[in-house]
Amino acid sequence: MKKSLEEHAARFDEKAGAYDDSKSEEYHACANLVVEHAAPEPDDTVLDLGTGTGAIALALAPDAARVVGRDISDGMLEQAREKADEAGLENVAFGHGTFREPDYEGAVDLVTTNFAFHHLSDDEKREAISVIAALEPRKFVLGDVMFFGDPNPDDPFYTPAVDDPATVGTLADAFTDAGFSLTAVERVHDQVGVLVAERNPTGGDVATDE
C-alpha cells in the first residue's frame, strides 16, 4: 500500500460529497458488471468491501436478504447511510472495515468490491483474498483497475502515487491459491476489468468477454 490507511481514509473523506459525480464511464461500466455477476439470491448475505458511498451495496440490496458494506472512510460511509435511508432500504448495514480486517462475523454468500482493491500492494491483495476465502463465500466479484497487458506509461488510467494495480495473472494466481476458480473475466478497458471467482464453480472453462 503506497499510503497508510489513515492517509487513504482522509483522502476519501475529502472526496465523499462529490464522489458519485466524479466517476468515469469505465467505473460505471465496471460497477454494472459487478452487480450483474453478483446476482444474489433472496436469502443471500452480501459483504461489499471498499463500499465507498454504497453504489454496489445499494444496487444489490433489493435482491438479497442482507448487505453489509465496509469502508475505511467515515465520510464515504455517511454518504452510503444517507442514500440507504433515502431509498428506504432496511437490510443494509455500513461500518468500518478493511479488506484484510473486514470486522464482520457470520455467514457470507457473496463478496463484492469495485474500484478499491488496487490500493493494496500485490502481497496485500493476496493476503486479503485469503482472508475473504476464510469467510467461505461461494462467489467473489472483483471490479477494479487491473492490467490486461503492458500499461501505457504515458496514459495511465490510475494514479501511480496512490494506486498499485495488479496484472490479471497475478490476481488469478492469488484466487487459485486461495481455493477459488475464475469463472468469468470481463475486460472493460486495457486497465480495467471484472473478475468472478467461485469456490464451487458449476463447471466449464473460464468465460471471457473482451
Side-chain angles (χ1 to χ4, degrees):
M1 184 176 290
K2 293 188 175 181
K3 289 186 178 291
S4 69
L5 286 175
E6 292 76 15
E7 289 172 321
H8 277 301
R11 191 165 67 91
F12 282 106
D13 284 345
E14 293 177 1
K15 293 182 173 185
Y19 186 79
D20 289 345
D21 295 328
S22 68
K23 306 316 293 178
S24 66
E25 291 182 7
E26 289 84 358
Y27 169 91
H28 291 294
C30 222
N32 290 338
L33 285 168
V34 169
V35 171
E36 178 183 331
H37 280 289
E41 299 293 334
D43 59 348
D44 279 347
T45 295
V46 181
L47 177 61
D48 184 45
L49 297 173
T51 195
T53 62
I56 302 300
L58 299 177
L60 295 177
D63 297 319
R66 184 183 184 209
V67 180
V68 177
R70 291 289 184 261
D71 204 275
I72 61 172
S73 165
D74 291 336
M76 297 290 239
L77 290 168
E78 182 179 352
Q79 293 287 322
R81 293 186 186 107
E82 288 179 1
K83 289 162 66 176
D85 288 343
E86 290 172 1
L89 295 170
E90 298 181 352
N91 64 332
V92 186
F94 294 103
H96 189 276
T98 71
F99 286 104
R100 291 173 292 164
E101 295 183 4
D103 193 22
Y104 175 78
E105 295 183 2
V108 176
D109 300 290
L110 302 172
V111 174
T112 57
T113 186
N114 191 54
F115 267 62
F117 209 55
H118 62 274
H119 295 302
L120 304 180
S121 69
D122 286 358
D123 286 343
E124 290 167 337
K125 292 182 183 75
R126 181 175 287 275
E127 180 183 348
I129 290 171
S130 294
V131 168
I132 292 165
L135 297 173
E136 299 187 345
R138 71 171 183 271
K139 186 190 297 184
F140 180 11
V141 185
L142 167 66
D144 204 15
V145 184
M146 60 184 71
F147 300 142
F148 285 85
D150 294 327
N152 182 352
D154 297 323
D155 186 27
F157 190 85
Y158 62 104
T159 304
V162 295
D163 301 333
D164 196 4
T167 66
V168 173
T170 295
L171 293 168
D173 287 345
F175 278 123
T176 300
D177 290 345
F180 289 100
S181 295
L182 282 186
T183 55
V185 178
E186 300 265 18
R187 179 172 177 165
V188 173
H189 176 280
D190 60 3
Q191 297 177 40
V192 178
V194 173
L195 304 183
V196 181
E198 298 186 59
R199 294 180 61 85
N200 295 300
T202 54
D205 296 329
V206 172
T208 61
D209 184 357
E210 301 184 5

